[in-house]
């Protein structure tokens, strides 16, 4: 049996097709390309039961991934993250079936590992020796580490403000790391110049077609973990939007395979008030977003002032009757503590943003009390040590814990 049922690349804007046998970046028209599969054939070859007993990583879905030969797979064991029920937090926000897909336990500590695993594996299969990418930190860390494992050289450009741990991950992996005094969009401009002569493969978000294929596996996993019964709502912290586009793509593929039926979940793009281009576009009913000037938020992974795939994110929101919500940084920080204290889960600020949005949408009645709601926590809280100020008493060796301290 074939390892992958990948067929070709398709431009969602002009419908031009490309082969997956060569290194490919954007379509000639400037649009990102989407990977297509021979689902018609696969439908008769694979069923959900065939997945039972396969390895607990995203490679269990290898027929629906673009790597054609298993020996090119570069893996650190990523995927099949827990889908945790959140009963105490759910009760607190009056959502009786609240779940969290926890990407904090994945290699490199964020779901960027999914995109890196599949993106780097395919790059290796296509003979890439050296790649470059702009990043807000987490993607650079993940791609540096997976590239190291693949024997590919990585050049990473990130803002000086990016979480400092992500710098250290790049340095540990011996990537060529550069910082820029600016935003991810500025890092993107610098990488754009560096890849012009074609020697460096451009691994920027959506400028290569395969990262999204890694991220889409979150959609497969959610469906499988709920025994192929789709939830009502999925909330996702949206920067470049790759995860949301990916989840939507995955669910459509499962529909085509006949593995899921009925309505798709309403997809929710969550952004920070300091950087909400998708929310603004959605509120205005637009098909594309406008560049968000002077963007700023503590949820660094979603500080993306203009996403290349914005039209695909918006399409997914409109097609599923979803919505887009902006939340405040101080609410994110408060929610992060609520989530940890009620459920024992230390989430990243991007993940906390999603819970703020769920709370808000429940209050507005957009989410019903008995709906099944999935919140994506995209990374580990421990990658962001500065989100919590630990102002606590210090004892001398002979001190006792008095009533005041105990009550705290
Ligand atoms: C990159 C990132 C996001 C946003 O992901 P996109 O797919 O680019 O929208 C969310 N959370 C974290 C922790 C991230 O690193
Ligand atoms: Zn095109």
């Amino acid at each position: 049996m074939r390892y992958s049922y990948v067929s070709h690349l398709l431009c969602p804007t002009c419908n031009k097709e490309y082969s997956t046998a060569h290194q490919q970046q954007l379509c000639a028209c400037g649009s990102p390309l989407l990977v297509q599969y021979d689902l018609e054939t696969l439908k008769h070859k694979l069923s959900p039961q065939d997945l039972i007993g396969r390895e607990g990583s995203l490679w269990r879905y290898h027929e629906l991934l673009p790597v054609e030969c298993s020996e090119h797979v570069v893996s650190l064991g990523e995927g099949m993250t827990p889908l945790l029920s959140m009963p105490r937090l759910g009760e607190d926000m009056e959502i009786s079936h609240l779940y969290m897909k926890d990407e904090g336990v994945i290699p490199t500590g964020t779901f960027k590992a999914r995109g890196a695993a599949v993106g780097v594996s395919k790059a290796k299969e296509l003979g890439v020796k050296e790649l470059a990418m702009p990043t807000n930190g987490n993607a650079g860390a993940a791609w540096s580490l997976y590239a190291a494992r693949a024997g590919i050289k990585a050049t990473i450009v990130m803002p000086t403000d990016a979480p400092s741990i992500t710098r250290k991950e790049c340095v540990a992996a011996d990537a060529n790391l550069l910082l820029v005094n600016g935003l991810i969009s500025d890092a993107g401009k610098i990488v754009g110049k560096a890849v012009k002569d074609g020697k460096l493969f451009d691994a920027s978000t959506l400028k290569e077609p395969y990262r999204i294929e890694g991220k889409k596996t979150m959609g497969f996993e959610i469906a499988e973990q709920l025994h192929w019964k789709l939830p009502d709502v999925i909330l996702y912290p949206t920067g470049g939007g790759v995860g949301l586009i990916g989840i939507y793509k995955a669910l459509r593929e499962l529909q085509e395979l006949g593995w899921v039926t009925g309505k798709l979940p309403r997809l929710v793009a969550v952004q920070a008030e300091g950087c909400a281009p998708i929310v603004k576009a959605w509120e205005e009913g637009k098909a594309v977003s406008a560049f968000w000037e002077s963007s700023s938020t503590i949820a660094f992974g979603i500080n993306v002032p203009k996403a290349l795939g914005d039209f695909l994110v918006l399409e997914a929101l409109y097609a599923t009757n979803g919505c887009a919500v902006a939340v405040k940084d101080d609410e994110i920080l408060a929610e992060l503590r609520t989530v940890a204290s009620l459920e024992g889960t230390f989430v990243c600020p991007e993940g906390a943003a999603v819970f703020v949005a769920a709370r808000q949408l429940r209050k507005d009645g957009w989410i019903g009390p008995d709906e099944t709601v999935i919140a994506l926590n995209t990374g580990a809280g421990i990658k962001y040590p500065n989100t919590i100020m630990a102002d606590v008493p210090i004892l001398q060796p002979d001190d006792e814990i008095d009533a005041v301290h105990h009550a705290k």
Side-chain angles (χ1 to χ4, degrees), residues 319-387:
T320 61
N321 289 313
C323 70
V325 182
V327 303
K328 293 184 169 63
D329 274 8
D330 58 350
E331 292 173 319
I332 292 176
L333 290 173
E335 191 72 42
L336 198 149
R337 295 183 72 146
T338 305
V339 175
S341 61
L342 288 181
E343 298 286 3
T345 51
F346 185 11
V347 300
C348 63
E350 296 83 356
V354 155
F355 287 108
V356 175
R359 195 179 282 283
Q360 220 161 278
L361 290 171
R362 175 67 197 98
K363 210 173 268 166
D364 301 344
W366 193 88
I367 291 177
D370 297 319
E371 290 196 300
T372 299
V373 176
I374 313 274
L376 248 306
N377 173 43
T378 41
I382 50 176
K383 284 197 89 171
Y384 303 74
N386 299 330
T387 54

Side-chain angles (χ1 to χ4, degrees), residues 183-381:
L183 293 173
I184 187 170
S185 42
D186 301 301
K189 274 183 238 154
I190 291 170
V191 169
K193 284 184 231 157
V195 298
K196 265 226 168 83
D197 64 7
K199 283 192 200 102
L200 274 173
F201 184 70
D202 189 349
S204 307
T205 305
L206 292 173
K207 288 193 184 168
E208 62 77 50
Y210 302 109
R211 181 198 298 215
I212 179 175
E213 297 303 297
K215 289 192 175 183
K216 84 176 177 188
T217 56
M218 292 187 290
F220 293 157
E221 290 177 21
I222 289 169
E224 187 176 4
Q225 288 170 318
L226 292 174
H227 310 288
W228 310 104
K229 194 171 171 304
L230 296 178
D232 297 297
V233 176
I234 299 177
L235 301 107
Y236 178 79
T238 305
V242 184
L244 193 137
I245 299 165
I247 290 171
Y248 179 61
K249 185 173 188 286
L251 298 177
R252 296 276 303 265
E253 288 170 357
L254 293 178
Q255 272 186 329
E256 260 188 75
L257 287 170
W259 293 10
V260 298
T261 51
K263 263 199 301 200
L264 289 184
R266 309 193 310 276
L267 300 178
V268 180
V270 180
Q271 299 199 298
E273 281 193 357
C275 182
I278 299 285
V279 178
K280 183 164 188 290
W282 179 80
E283 283 171 349
E284 295 168 353
K286 298 239 167 83
V288 292
S289 66
F291 188 92
W292 190 274
E293 295 296 338
S294 322
S295 68
S296 137
T297 168
I298 50 149
F300 216 76
I302 54 175
N303 189 349
V304 180
K306 164 79 183 165
L308 192 57
D310 54 357
F311 68 103
L312 296 169
V313 175
L314 288 158
E315 193 185 300
L317 301 184
Y318 297 132
T320 61
N321 289 313
C323 70
V325 182
V327 303
K328 293 184 169 63
D329 274 8
D330 58 350
E331 292 173 319
I332 292 176
L333 290 173
E335 191 72 42
L336 198 149
R337 295 183 72 146
T338 305
V339 175
S341 61
L342 288 181
E343 298 286 3
T345 51
F346 185 11
V347 300
C348 63
E350 296 83 356
V354 155
F355 287 108
V356 175
R359 195 179 282 283
Q360 220 161 278
L361 290 171
R362 175 67 197 98
K363 210 173 268 166
D364 301 344
W366 193 88
I367 291 177
D370 297 319
E371 290 196 300
T372 299
V373 176
I374 313 274
L376 248 306
N377 173 43
T378 41

